[in-house]
Amino acid sequence: MPLPPLVEPADALSPREQLRTARHQRLAGLGSEGQRRIAAATVGVVGAGGLGAPVVLALAAAGIGEIVIFDDDDIELSNLQRQVIHRLQDVGRPKTDSVVRVASDMSETRVRVVSTRLSHENAAELIAGVDLVLDGTDSFESREIVAAACERLSLPLVWGTVQEFAGLVTVFWSAPPEGADAVRLHDLYPPGSEAPACSAVGVFGPLCIQAGSMMASEALKLIMGLGKPLLGRIAMIDALAGTVREAPLRAARVTASARPAEPDVREVDEPGAGAVVIDVREADEVATGMIAGALHLPLGELLASLEEMAEELRDDEVVLVCQVGARARRAARALAGKGVSAVVLRGGMDGYNSRRSAA
């Protein structure tokens, strides 16, 4: 069903924007008012990578008023196969630099850069003030942080993911207008979900453009109150088959008593003396630094050899480490289920580094 527009229209467009967006304004149902709503909107884009890059291109071309870009990464050569706003000469520079350049080259879109890494503690404060959020991150830890902040702020969240040759796009909204059902990230994926990183399994470059453009379309539809947004539906892209299908997505109405019990996981601020520290992040993540003496064993490999690892670690105190904590908790629960004494480093490497910096 159509939803009411998210944004009130701007009073007027500049003469240049009036001319530049003429083809938009000729669209039935969009017109001058829809274009002025686009010009008045402020959107948050989390991640300037495979999905964030085409999102930024489409939104800046559409004439969005302001993009608040959240990213703290620098550009690597391997990004250029799919992250289409970056260029060879940009390698080594912050990804946000490309967003600023693209917007100024295409339209009057303003860009505000937030280089602080989002966490459960700061995300809601940093995201507050936008009309909606588009999540282009590539880990479940980051997605859970963004989704939790949007739920706290009652913001619509346009969400997408790509892996190998498959993509998903949908809209989550914990407090939609009357008549629409709330749908949240955890209705699609339970807390602590994991998937292989694209660095491990790869991603088809053109698929990022396709999924990112769908995300931008959903954002513009919500801003204008136009068409039927993907709230309560999920679009499933199969690039090899050349198909886009959809499936209904409803709130997971599962009672607490019906959920399988999960063992509690204890958290520690520092590994104890003699503890076995296992870092379950991927290779590119541990390249940025590890705890001295830690064993590197990506989560997928640990789970694949769980019986063997549990037998080897049964007499040890084991501390699991990831970037923020979600993957480490999954590993700790799996090992605990096999009789291993396993705890989690509180807040992952981000929390550990923050505590050491503050000490």
Side-chain angles (χ1 to χ4, degrees), residues 3-42:
L3 299 177
L6 270 180
V7 179
E8 291 299 313
D11 291 336
L13 301 174
S14 71
R16 185 172 68 170
E17 279 297 280
Q18 183 75 23
L19 180 60
R20 198 187 65 83
T21 61
R23 298 299 183 272
H24 252 184
Q25 296 184 61
R26 290 180 185 173
L27 289 169
L30 196 157
S32 171
E33 181 178 300
Q35 189 61 46
R36 286 184 288 117
R37 291 187 193 277
I38 293 171
T42 298

mmCIF file of all heavy atoms in Angstrom, residues 3-42:
data_model
loop_
_atom_site.group_PDB
_atom_site.id
_atom_site.type_symbol
_atom_site.label_atom_id
_atom_site.label_comp_id
_atom_site.label_asym_id
_atom_site.label_seq_id
_atom_site.Cartn_x
_atom_site.Cartn_y
_atom_site.Cartn_z
ATOM 1 N N LEU A 3 2.400 4.698 1.205
ATOM 2 C CA LEU A 3 2.588 5.295 2.522
ATOM 3 C C LEU A 3 2.658 6.805 2.374
ATOM 4 O O LEU A 3 3.036 7.313 1.313
ATOM 5 C CB LEU A 3 3.881 4.776 3.155
ATOM 6 C CG LEU A 3 3.956 3.267 3.400
ATOM 7 C CD1 LEU A 3 5.311 2.894 3.964
ATOM 8 C CD2 LEU A 3 2.846 2.807 4.340
ATOM 9 N N PRO A 4 2.300 7.557 3.414
ATOM 10 C CA PRO A 4 2.400 9.013 3.306
ATOM 11 C C PRO A 4 3.843 9.455 3.119
ATOM 12 O O PRO A 4 4.775 8.779 3.564
ATOM 13 C CB PRO A 4 1.840 9.508 4.650
ATOM 14 C CG PRO A 4 1.896 8.340 5.562
ATOM 15 C CD PRO A 4 1.768 7.117 4.711
ATOM 16 N N PRO A 5 4.057 10.586 2.456
ATOM 17 C CA PRO A 5 5.435 11.054 2.235
ATOM 18 C C PRO A 5 6.169 11.289 3.545
ATOM 19 O O PRO A 5 5.582 11.755 4.530
ATOM 20 C CB PRO A 5 5.244 12.373 1.477
ATOM 21 C CG PRO A 5 3.864 12.320 0.926
ATOM 22 C CD PRO A 5 3.060 11.492 1.872
ATOM 23 N N LEU A 6 7.438 10.964 3.537
ATOM 24 C CA LEU A 6 8.270 11.183 4.724
ATOM 25 C C LEU A 6 8.637 12.647 4.923
ATOM 26 O O LEU A 6 8.892 13.084 6.048
ATOM 27 C CB LEU A 6 9.574 10.392 4.599
ATOM 28 C CG LEU A 6 9.655 8.966 5.116
ATOM 29 C CD1 LEU A 6 11.053 8.429 4.877
ATOM 30 C CD2 LEU A 6 9.300 8.895 6.587
ATOM 31 N N VAL A 7 8.714 13.399 3.829
ATOM 32 C CA VAL A 7 9.340 14.718 3.857
ATOM 33 C C VAL A 7 8.395 15.755 3.242
ATOM 34 O O VAL A 7 7.783 15.504 2.201
ATOM 35 C CB VAL A 7 10.679 14.697 3.077
ATOM 36 C CG1 VAL A 7 11.332 16.067 3.063
ATOM 37 C CG2 VAL A 7 11.622 13.658 3.666
ATOM 38 N N GLU A 8 8.299 16.908 3.883
ATOM 39 C CA GLU A 8 7.568 18.029 3.299
ATOM 40 C C GLU A 8 8.384 18.637 2.158
ATOM 41 O O GLU A 8 9.622 18.671 2.225
ATOM 42 C CB GLU A 8 7.297 19.104 4.354
ATOM 43 C CG GLU A 8 6.285 18.671 5.413
ATOM 44 C CD GLU A 8 4.934 18.367 4.804
ATOM 45 O OE1 GLU A 8 4.445 19.188 3.984
ATOM 46 O OE2 GLU A 8 4.361 17.310 5.116
ATOM 47 N N PRO A 9 7.732 19.103 1.101
ATOM 48 C CA PRO A 9 8.495 19.621 -0.043
ATOM 49 C C PRO A 9 9.199 20.936 0.260
ATOM 50 O O PRO A 9 8.710 21.746 1.056
ATOM 51 C CB PRO A 9 7.421 19.809 -1.125
ATOM 52 C CG PRO A 9 6.136 19.944 -0.375
ATOM 53 C CD PRO A 9 6.277 19.110 0.861
ATOM 54 N N ALA A 10 10.346 21.130 -0.351
ATOM 55 C CA ALA A 10 11.017 22.433 -0.292
ATOM 56 C C ALA A 10 10.158 23.472 -1.006
ATOM 57 O O ALA A 10 9.335 23.139 -1.865
ATOM 58 C CB ALA A 10 12.386 22.337 -0.947
ATOM 59 N N ASP A 11 10.357 24.725 -0.662
ATOM 60 C CA ASP A 11 9.551 25.789 -1.276
ATOM 61 C C ASP A 11 9.792 25.874 -2.779
ATOM 62 O O ASP A 11 8.856 26.086 -3.558
ATOM 63 C CB ASP A 11 9.871 27.134 -0.619
ATOM 64 C CG ASP A 11 9.370 27.195 0.820
ATOM 65 O OD1 ASP A 11 8.439 26.445 1.151
ATOM 66 O OD2 ASP A 11 9.936 27.984 1.602
ATOM 67 N N ALA A 12 11.064 25.746 -3.174
ATOM 68 C CA ALA A 12 11.388 25.893 -4.597
ATOM 69 C C ALA A 12 12.736 25.245 -4.872
ATOM 70 O O ALA A 12 13.539 25.009 -3.965
ATOM 71 C CB ALA A 12 11.431 27.371 -4.985
ATOM 72 N N LEU A 13 12.973 24.940 -6.137
ATOM 73 C CA LEU A 13 14.267 24.475 -6.601
ATOM 74 C C LEU A 13 15.029 25.643 -7.207
ATOM 75 O O LEU A 13 14.423 26.595 -7.713
ATOM 76 C CB LEU A 13 14.094 23.383 -7.661
ATOM 77 C CG LEU A 13 13.324 22.130 -7.254
ATOM 78 C CD1 LEU A 13 13.128 21.237 -8.481
ATOM 79 C CD2 LEU A 13 14.038 21.366 -6.147
ATOM 80 N N SER A 14 16.349 25.551 -7.184
ATOM 81 C CA SER A 14 17.139 26.565 -7.877
ATOM 82 C C SER A 14 16.882 26.438 -9.383
ATOM 83 O O SER A 14 16.484 25.371 -9.869
ATOM 84 C CB SER A 14 18.627 26.372 -7.589
ATOM 85 O OG SER A 14 19.102 25.204 -8.240
ATOM 86 N N PRO A 15 17.094 27.491 -10.156
ATOM 87 C CA PRO A 15 16.894 27.386 -11.616
ATOM 88 C C PRO A 15 17.684 26.252 -12.241
ATOM 89 O O PRO A 15 17.187 25.552 -13.134
ATOM 90 C CB PRO A 15 17.353 28.750 -12.120
ATOM 91 C CG PRO A 15 17.121 29.680 -10.971
ATOM 92 C CD PRO A 15 17.421 28.872 -9.742
ATOM 93 N N ARG A 16 18.902 26.018 -11.768
ATOM 94 C CA ARG A 16 19.717 24.946 -12.339
ATOM 95 C C ARG A 16 19.132 23.572 -12.006
ATOM 96 O O ARG A 16 19.051 22.700 -12.873
ATOM 97 C CB ARG A 16 21.158 25.032 -11.821
ATOM 98 C CG ARG A 16 22.082 24.010 -12.472
ATOM 99 C CD ARG A 16 23.534 24.210 -12.112
ATOM 100 N NE ARG A 16 23.800 23.921 -10.702
ATOM 101 C CZ ARG A 16 25.022 23.831 -10.188
ATOM 102 N NH1 ARG A 16 26.082 24.028 -10.958
ATOM 103 N NH2 ARG A 16 25.190 23.584 -8.911
ATOM 104 N N GLU A 17 18.713 23.382 -10.754
ATOM 105 C CA GLU A 17 18.099 22.103 -10.384
ATOM 106 C C GLU A 17 16.761 21.912 -11.077
ATOM 107 O O GLU A 17 16.376 20.783 -11.420
ATOM 108 C CB GLU A 17 17.933 22.009 -8.867
ATOM 109 C CG GLU A 17 19.184 21.603 -8.127
ATOM 110 C CD GLU A 17 19.654 20.209 -8.509
ATOM 111 O OE1 GLU A 17 19.094 19.220 -7.986
ATOM 112 O OE2 GLU A 17 20.579 20.107 -9.340
ATOM 113 N N GLN A 18 16.027 22.991 -11.285
ATOM 114 C CA GLN A 18 14.759 22.906 -12.004
ATOM 115 C C GLN A 18 14.985 22.328 -13.405
ATOM 116 O O GLN A 18 14.256 21.443 -13.860
ATOM 117 C CB GLN A 18 14.130 24.299 -12.093
ATOM 118 C CG GLN A 18 12.761 24.348 -12.748
ATOM 119 C CD GLN A 18 11.662 23.821 -11.851
ATOM 120 O OE1 GLN A 18 11.802 23.801 -10.635
ATOM 121 N NE2 GLN A 18 10.579 23.373 -12.454
ATOM 122 N N LEU A 19 16.020 22.809 -14.073
ATOM 123 C CA LEU A 19 16.331 22.325 -15.410
ATOM 124 C C LEU A 19 16.954 20.934 -15.369
ATOM 125 O O LEU A 19 16.609 20.051 -16.166
ATOM 126 C CB LEU A 19 17.280 23.305 -16.105
ATOM 127 C CG LEU A 19 17.719 22.949 -17.529
ATOM 128 C CD1 LEU A 19 16.514 22.853 -18.459
ATOM 129 C CD2 LEU A 19 18.719 23.988 -18.040
ATOM 130 N N ARG A 20 17.850 20.706 -14.421
ATOM 131 C CA ARG A 20 18.568 19.434 -14.355
ATOM 132 C C ARG A 20 17.634 18.250 -14.093
ATOM 133 O O ARG A 20 17.853 17.135 -14.574
ATOM 134 C CB ARG A 20 19.643 19.505 -13.255
ATOM 135 C CG ARG A 20 20.731 18.449 -13.338
ATOM 136 C CD ARG A 20 21.638 18.484 -12.114
ATOM 137 N NE ARG A 20 20.896 18.115 -10.915
ATOM 138 C CZ ARG A 20 20.659 16.869 -10.540
ATOM 139 N NH1 ARG A 20 21.094 15.853 -11.270
ATOM 140 N NH2 ARG A 20 19.993 16.612 -9.439
ATOM 141 N N THR A 21 16.581 18.475 -13.306
ATOM 142 C CA THR A 21 15.667 17.387 -12.936
ATOM 143 C C THR A 21 14.388 17.384 -13.778
ATOM 144 O O THR A 21 13.379 16.813 -13.376
ATOM 145 C CB THR A 21 15.302 17.491 -11.449
ATOM 146 O OG1 THR A 21 14.642 18.751 -11.202
ATOM 147 C CG2 THR A 21 16.538 17.384 -10.564
ATOM 148 N N ALA A 22 14.436 17.991 -14.944
ATOM 149 C CA ALA A 22 13.221 18.131 -15.763
ATOM 150 C C ALA A 22 12.595 16.783 -16.106
ATOM 151 O O ALA A 22 11.363 16.653 -16.118
ATOM 152 C CB ALA A 22 13.551 18.898 -17.048
ATOM 153 N N ARG A 23 13.403 15.756 -16.392
ATOM 154 C CA ARG A 23 12.838 14.456 -16.765
ATOM 155 C C ARG A 23 12.136 13.796 -15.581
ATOM 156 O O ARG A 23 11.186 13.042 -15.760
ATOM 157 C CB ARG A 23 13.923 13.538 -17.316
ATOM 158 C CG ARG A 23 14.596 14.041 -18.584
ATOM 159 C CD ARG A 23 13.603 14.196 -19.736
ATOM 160 N NE ARG A 23 14.272 14.608 -20.960
ATOM 161 C CZ ARG A 23 14.510 15.865 -21.300
ATOM 162 N NH1 ARG A 23 14.144 16.861 -20.482
ATOM 163 N NH2 ARG A 23 15.121 16.164 -22.432
ATOM 164 N N HIS A 24 12.626 14.038 -14.384
ATOM 165 C CA HIS A 24 11.916 13.562 -13.202
ATOM 166 C C HIS A 24 10.538 14.215 -13.103
ATOM 167 O O HIS A 24 9.530 13.551 -12.866
ATOM 168 C CB HIS A 24 12.710 13.906 -11.932
ATOM 169 C CG HIS A 24 13.341 12.729 -11.279
ATOM 170 N ND1 HIS A 24 14.022 12.818 -10.084
ATOM 171 C CD2 HIS A 24 13.405 11.417 -11.629
ATOM 172 C CE1 HIS A 24 14.482 11.626 -9.747
ATOM 173 N NE2 HIS A 24 14.137 10.760 -10.665
ATOM 174 N N GLN A 25 10.521 15.515 -13.280
ATOM 175 C CA GLN A 25 9.294 16.261 -13.031
ATOM 176 C C GLN A 25 8.213 15.980 -14.077
ATOM 177 O O GLN A 25 7.048 16.311 -13.865
ATOM 178 C CB GLN A 25 9.604 17.758 -12.956
ATOM 179 C CG GLN A 25 10.514 18.092 -11.768
ATOM 180 C CD GLN A 25 10.756 19.579 -11.621
ATOM 181 O OE1 GLN A 25 9.817 20.335 -11.420
ATOM 182 N NE2 GLN A 25 12.009 19.980 -11.730
ATOM 183 N N ARG A 26 8.585 15.343 -15.176
ATOM 184 C CA ARG A 26 7.583 14.961 -16.165
ATOM 185 C C ARG A 26 6.934 13.617 -15.847
ATOM 186 O O ARG A 26 5.985 13.218 -16.512
ATOM 187 C CB ARG A 26 8.232 14.904 -17.552
ATOM 188 C CG ARG A 26 8.607 16.285 -18.076
ATOM 189 C CD ARG A 26 9.240 16.210 -19.441
ATOM 190 N NE ARG A 26 9.688 17.545 -19.856
ATOM 191 C CZ ARG A 26 10.395 17.782 -20.948
ATOM 192 N NH1 ARG A 26 10.757 16.768 -21.739
ATOM 193 N NH2 ARG A 26 10.768 19.006 -21.268
ATOM 194 N N LEU A 27 7.446 12.918 -14.826
ATOM 195 C CA LEU A 27 6.885 11.629 -14.465
ATOM 196 C C LEU A 27 5.546 11.807 -13.759
ATOM 197 O O LEU A 27 5.439 12.572 -12.791
ATOM 198 C CB LEU A 27 7.846 10.866 -13.544
ATOM 199 C CG LEU A 27 9.124 10.325 -14.191
ATOM 200 C CD1 LEU A 27 10.082 9.843 -13.114
ATOM 201 C CD2 LEU A 27 8.803 9.201 -15.157
ATOM 202 N N ALA A 28 4.534 11.088 -14.223
ATOM 203 C CA ALA A 28 3.228 11.139 -13.580
ATOM 204 C C ALA A 28 3.350 10.646 -12.141
ATOM 205 O O ALA A 28 3.933 9.589 -11.868
ATOM 206 C CB ALA A 28 2.239 10.266 -14.345
ATOM 207 N N GLY A 29 2.829 11.427 -11.208
ATOM 208 C CA GLY A 29 2.888 11.071 -9.798
ATOM 209 C C GLY A 29 4.082 11.629 -9.067
ATOM 210 O O GLY A 29 4.087 11.684 -7.833
ATOM 211 N N LEU A 30 5.129 12.016 -9.805
ATOM 212 C CA LEU A 30 6.310 12.593 -9.164
ATOM 213 C C LEU A 30 6.221 14.117 -9.261
ATOM 214 O O LEU A 30 5.990 14.793 -8.272
ATOM 215 C CB LEU A 30 7.582 12.044 -9.793
ATOM 216 C CG LEU A 30 8.890 12.248 -9.021
ATOM 217 C CD1 LEU A 30 9.937 11.222 -9.431
ATOM 218 C CD2 LEU A 30 9.451 13.642 -9.166
ATOM 219 N N GLY A 31 6.357 14.656 -10.466
ATOM 220 C CA GLY A 31 6.128 16.071 -10.701
ATOM 221 C C GLY A 31 7.002 16.994 -9.879
ATOM 222 O O GLY A 31 7.991 16.598 -9.257
ATOM 223 N N SER A 32 6.611 18.253 -9.869
ATOM 224 C CA SER A 32 7.376 19.270 -9.155
ATOM 225 C C SER A 32 7.373 19.022 -7.650
ATOM 226 O O SER A 32 8.390 19.163 -6.978
ATOM 227 C CB SER A 32 6.794 20.659 -9.454
ATOM 228 O OG SER A 32 7.386 21.636 -8.619
ATOM 229 N N GLU A 33 6.223 18.617 -7.117
ATOM 230 C CA GLU A 33 6.137 18.420 -5.669
ATOM 231 C C GLU A 33 7.040 17.282 -5.214
ATOM 232 O O GLU A 33 7.746 17.393 -4.201
ATOM 233 C CB GLU A 33 4.695 18.140 -5.255
ATOM 234 C CG GLU A 33 4.546 17.949 -3.747
ATOM 235 C CD GLU A 33 3.102 17.722 -3.341
ATOM 236 O OE1 GLU A 33 2.270 18.609 -3.610
ATOM 237 O OE2 GLU A 33 2.821 16.660 -2.757
ATOM 238 N N GLY A 34 7.036 16.177 -5.951
ATOM 239 C CA GLY A 34 7.906 15.062 -5.589
ATOM 240 C C GLY A 34 9.362 15.445 -5.644
ATOM 241 O O GLY A 34 10.151 15.069 -4.765
ATOM 242 N N GLN A 35 9.753 16.204 -6.663
ATOM 243 C CA GLN A 35 11.148 16.619 -6.770
ATOM 244 C C GLN A 35 11.521 17.555 -5.634
ATOM 245 O O GLN A 35 12.644 17.501 -5.110
ATOM 246 C CB GLN A 35 11.405 17.298 -8.117
ATOM 247 C CG GLN A 35 12.876 17.571 -8.385
ATOM 248 C CD GLN A 35 13.706 16.290 -8.427
ATOM 249 O OE1 GLN A 35 13.332 15.315 -9.050
ATOM 250 N NE2 GLN A 35 14.842 16.315 -7.736
ATOM 251 N N ARG A 36 10.596 18.393 -5.211
ATOM 252 C CA ARG A 36 10.891 19.293 -4.090
ATOM 253 C C ARG A 36 10.963 18.527 -2.762
ATOM 254 O O ARG A 36 11.683 18.934 -1.843
ATOM 255 C CB ARG A 36 9.851 20.411 -4.031
ATOM 256 C CG ARG A 36 10.048 21.448 -5.149
ATOM 257 C CD ARG A 36 9.088 22.618 -5.049
ATOM 258 N NE ARG A 36 7.727 22.264 -5.408
ATOM 259 C CZ ARG A 36 6.695 22.319 -4.572
ATOM 260 N NH1 ARG A 36 6.874 22.699 -3.312
ATOM 261 N NH2 ARG A 36 5.481 21.990 -4.983
ATOM 262 N N ARG A 37 10.237 17.407 -2.651
ATOM 263 C CA ARG A 37 10.397 16.554 -1.466
ATOM 264 C C ARG A 37 11.790 15.928 -1.459
ATOM 265 O O ARG A 37 12.448 15.849 -0.407
ATOM 266 C CB ARG A 37 9.323 15.461 -1.445
ATOM 267 C CG ARG A 37 7.911 15.954 -1.196
ATOM 268 C CD ARG A 37 6.939 14.792 -1.028
ATOM 269 N NE ARG A 37 5.563 15.229 -1.090
ATOM 270 C CZ ARG A 37 4.876 15.748 -0.068
ATOM 271 N NH1 ARG A 37 5.471 15.879 1.106
ATOM 272 N NH2 ARG A 37 3.615 16.120 -0.211
ATOM 273 N N ILE A 38 12.231 15.458 -2.627
ATOM 274 C CA ILE A 38 13.580 14.887 -2.728
ATOM 275 C C ILE A 38 14.618 15.926 -2.311
ATOM 276 O O ILE A 38 15.555 15.634 -1.558
ATOM 277 C CB ILE A 38 13.838 14.401 -4.167
ATOM 278 C CG1 ILE A 38 12.929 13.216 -4.514
ATOM 279 C CG2 ILE A 38 15.304 14.016 -4.354
ATOM 280 C CD1 ILE A 38 12.973 12.814 -5.975
ATOM 281 N N ALA A 39 14.463 17.163 -2.776
ATOM 282 C CA ALA A 39 15.427 18.223 -2.477
ATOM 283 C C ALA A 39 15.429 18.597 -1.002
ATOM 284 O O ALA A 39 16.425 19.132 -0.499
ATOM 285 C CB ALA A 39 15.121 19.453 -3.325
ATOM 286 N N ALA A 40 14.325 18.315 -0.299
ATOM 287 C CA ALA A 40 14.238 18.671 1.125
ATOM 288 C C ALA A 40 14.717 17.552 2.043
ATOM 289 O O ALA A 40 14.849 17.759 3.249
ATOM 290 C CB ALA A 40 12.789 19.026 1.472
ATOM 291 N N ALA A 41 15.004 16.367 1.492
ATOM 292 C CA ALA A 41 15.285 15.194 2.312
ATOM 293 C C ALA A 41 16.742 15.110 2.741
ATOM 294 O O ALA A 41 17.654 15.501 2.008
ATOM 295 C CB ALA A 41 14.914 13.924 1.540
ATOM 296 N N THR A 42 16.936 14.557 3.933
ATOM 297 C CA THR A 42 18.256 14.218 4.453
ATOM 298 C C THR A 42 18.298 12.719 4.680
ATOM 299 O O THR A 42 17.470 12.188 5.430
ATOM 300 C CB THR A 42 18.546 14.946 5.770
ATOM 301 O OG1 THR A 42 18.547 16.357 5.548
ATOM 302 C CG2 THR A 42 19.894 14.532 6.346
#
